Amino acid sequence: MNKKFLTLSLASLLTASCFAQVKPLIPNKDAIKFSKAINPENAYKHLSILASDEYEGRETGTKGAWMAADYIRDYFKSLGLKGPVDGGYFQKIDLVNLKLKQSQLTVNGQPKEYLKDYLVYPNTISDNGFMFSGDDIVFVGYGLKKDTYNDFAGTNIESKVVLMFANGDPTLKPGERMDRSSVMEMRKQRADYFAQNKVKAIITIDPTIDRLTENFKKNLSDGQVIVKTNSVLEAARQNVIPRISISLALANELLKTQNTTVADLQKKIMDSKTPASMALATPFSASGSKSETPVRCENVLGFLEGTDPILKKEVVVLTGHYDHIGLVKDPNATDKVNNGADDDGSGTTGVLLMAKAFTDAKKAGKGSKRSILFMTVVGEEKGLWGSEWYSEHPVFPIANTIADLNTDMIGRTGEEYLGKPDSANYIYSVGSNMLSSELGKLSEQVNATYTKMKLDYKYDDPKDTEQIYYRSDHYNFAKVGIPIIFYYDGMLEQDYHRPGDEVSKINFPLLTKRAKLTYYTAWELANRPKRPAVDMDGKGNPKK
């Protein structure tokens, strides 16, 4: 564990920076001069367009997102930024819409009803579809294999249909949660174990199927939009085992042969903390296939080449995601647009403001020594798609990328700061020390010199229950060893992913002050003799 969080008293000291204790930099007059482009008036001009009802919430793969991409491209072009993707500004992403072409499922020879008894997601179906049958189902509880608990012990699953609960872990204490990396590792081990045993199919018991809404059914019939990142393609290559989710009623029908129910098994396992795996002799057959249609989707990139013959080969990346969650699904809603003014129209606006400031500086002969890539990414709300795509298909070498500064929600006051004296003078700074102590120190110095905000490090705590560090686009840069800082306002309740996230609620002076902090940090990174050293392990611990 990071020593910063070993004691409560030390953690509390690290909640916020005290810039009076940090040695400031010598203020750069040019940086200050050109920062004037980052102002509330310019911010309002951009955000009032991007977060307007006309843009329909900018959902990835829809007209609203395409309109936003076109707007950002045109603005980058108007500033004189170069299009770095074969002369263009769009980095195309391999996005497709998957639809279920056909499915059937029978138990004891009796057909079951799709979307009532069972569910098959198109993205879990291989390109060749699936078809299987048999009467050898094995119930394996939660599908867990740990030192103290093993659902597979003494159970033969080879070439069988596996039945398991969709979620849960009886080994955890009340309120305890596994961190993201542990969950991912557990899932990988389970998938490997299933593959090694040539499992015929995986059937999960999912109570949500018993209460599917009409909106959900309609959305699923419209298709599943996925991006073909390397991880998705690899998962598709490995995940050739059919996966079907079934209702509680159908699960109880399968368990009837052993005179038990889902509720009885869950109670038995939780009370005893021991597995209750068993074989079920029930004839079962299923088949399914899918169709695939390409969907327009792109990151928008604008490139400002550095002025130093050597340092210009290195790149500072400034990111924000321009997508949001689109239109409200409820047909009875009075406000049908999730405008996403703060999430993340505000961060996207910040990138546009910084692009203006840096291009103004270069036109005046004060261009940065290193190159700067202004990149607004798509698909963040779907699972960090755009940034993951860039990390796998970088336009500029990862080895030459010295840092990513990511602005995602910088326009409002989060719940913890409402009504407090510093409510208009703070920002959550996330991840600045995870990979580079030098970047963390520089961030403090920049703030002490120029913006004098409260830097709150709450979300750097590895015990953060929200796991904020993993939830925005900077993480896909950190994954490949690039130092990052994520700037975030902490708004997780009021209007988050709701129609109320509108331009009228944005604090534009606060938005621009946070954007200036990002800008000044980028200015230092782009002009310093040396790039920030990667001296931390990605979790805030010094490298050994």
Side-chain angles (χ1 to χ4, degrees), residues 510-524:
L510 183 55
L511 185 161
T512 53
K513 189 168 189 179
R514 290 163 170 167
K516 282 187 177 181
L517 171 62
T518 314
Y519 159 80
Y520 285 124
T521 306
W523 184 286
E524 289 294 327

Side-chain angles (χ1 to χ4, degrees), residues 256-491:
K256 189 185 298 183
T257 59
Q258 292 292 330
N259 297 314
T260 189
T261 67
V262 169
D264 289 342
L265 286 171
Q266 288 177 321
K267 185 177 187 305
K268 181 179 179 181
I269 295 171
M270 290 302 295
D271 289 349
S272 67
K273 296 294 187 290
T274 58
S277 303
M278 66 183 81
L280 308 171
T282 305
F284 193 104
S285 68
S287 65
S289 59
K290 68 182 178 183
S291 63
E292 181 177 302
T293 306
V295 179
R296 174 186 166 184
C297 183
E298 58 265 319
N299 293 328
V300 190
L301 284 63
F303 181 65
L304 185 68
E305 188 175 33
T307 59
D308 185 276
I310 297 175
L311 293 180
K312 70 179 182 181
K313 296 178 182 178
E314 297 182 339
V315 181
V316 177
V317 182
L318 302 178
T319 53
H321 72 89
Y322 70 85
D323 68 295
H324 192 52
I325 63 171
L327 297 172
V328 176
K329 309 306 180 186
D330 182 358
N332 299 316
T334 54
D335 187 348
K336 297 187 181 300
V337 181
N338 292 297
N339 300 85
D342 192 36
D343 184 14
D344 181 34
S346 62
T348 298
T349 294
V351 173
L352 302 186
L353 297 175
M354 290 186 283
K356 169 68 172 168
F358 277 109
T359 54
D360 284 352
K362 186 169 184 180
K363 290 172 185 176
K366 303 295 182 179
S368 59
K369 295 178 181 178
R370 288 185 177 85
S371 298
I372 302 176
L373 178 64
F374 303 92
M375 180 164 61
T376 58
V377 295
V378 72
E380 191 271 355
E381 301 290 3
K382 303 292 187 180
L384 313 187
W385 285 352
S387 54
E388 183 175 11
W389 186 267
Y390 184 86
S391 72
E392 295 177 354
H393 307 84
V395 175
F396 299 95
I398 294 296
N400 292 354
T401 304
I402 73 163
D404 170 58
L405 306 182
N406 182 43
T407 49
D408 187 353
M409 301 173 65
I410 59 170
R412 291 182 64 173
T413 299
E415 288 75 19
E416 287 191 324
Y417 281 88
L418 287 173
K420 292 186 178 181
D422 49 8
S423 62
N425 197 44
Y426 82 95
I427 188 69
Y428 290 103
S429 176
V430 185
S432 61
N433 285 289
M434 292 296 191
L435 282 153
S436 173
S437 63
E438 290 183 8
L439 180 58
K441 180 180 178 182
L442 176 62
S443 174
E444 292 273 355
Q445 290 178 307
V446 167
N447 182 56
T449 305
Y450 297 104
T451 46
K452 298 180 172 59
M453 303 183 77
K454 177 180 179 180
L455 302 184
D456 194 323
Y457 296 105
K458 170 184 175 179
Y459 294 113
D460 277 349
D461 188 336
K463 296 179 181 178
D464 166 33
T465 57
E466 298 293 342
Q467 297 288 284
I468 293 295
Y469 175 66
Y470 303 96
R471 288 174 53 181
S472 191
D473 295 294
H474 60 280
Y475 181 64
N476 282 317
F477 288 87
K479 276 199 314 186
V480 294
I482 297 170
I484 63 91
I485 304 178
F486 168 30
Y487 301 98
Y488 168 57
D489 61 23
M491 192 191 77

Side-chain angles (χ1 to χ4, degrees), residues 4-121:
K4 294 178 183 176
F5 303 101
L6 286 177
T7 67
L8 179 62
S9 58
L10 185 54
S12 63
L13 288 173
L14 287 162
T15 298
S17 72
C18 183
F19 49 80
Q21 299 175 2
V22 177
K23 183 179 180 181
L25 306 168
I26 298 174
N28 186 293
K29 294 180 180 179
D30 291 328
I32 295 171
K33 176 181 177 181
F34 296 107
S35 73
K36 293 177 181 178
I38 306 173
N39 60 61
E41 292 75 22
N42 286 344
Y44 180 81
K45 289 176 184 177
H46 292 305
L47 191 54
S48 62
I49 294 172
L50 291 169
S52 65
D53 284 356
E54 184 182 3
Y55 280 53
E56 298 182 346
R58 310 185 305 278
E59 183 173 9
T60 297
T62 68
K63 180 183 75 171
W66 304 333
M67 292 172 67
D70 289 344
Y71 176 86
I72 296 164
R73 174 201 60 198
D74 293 345
Y75 185 70
F76 282 168
K77 191 173 182 179
S78 74
L79 293 177
L81 293 173
K82 294 181 179 179
V85 189
D86 298 324
Y89 297 85
F90 287 164
Q91 182 187 36
K92 300 291 184 181
I93 292 173
D94 192 359
L95 191 73
V96 295
N97 187 8
L98 304 178
K99 289 187 178 182
L100 189 68
K101 279 176 63 176
Q102 173 273 333
S103 76
Q104 69 84 28
L105 186 152
T106 66
V107 176
N108 287 314
Q110 298 299 311
K112 298 302 176 180
E113 185 177 342
Y114 181 66
L115 296 182
K116 177 185 176 184
D117 300 310
Y118 74 99
L119 181 62
V120 181
Y121 288 100

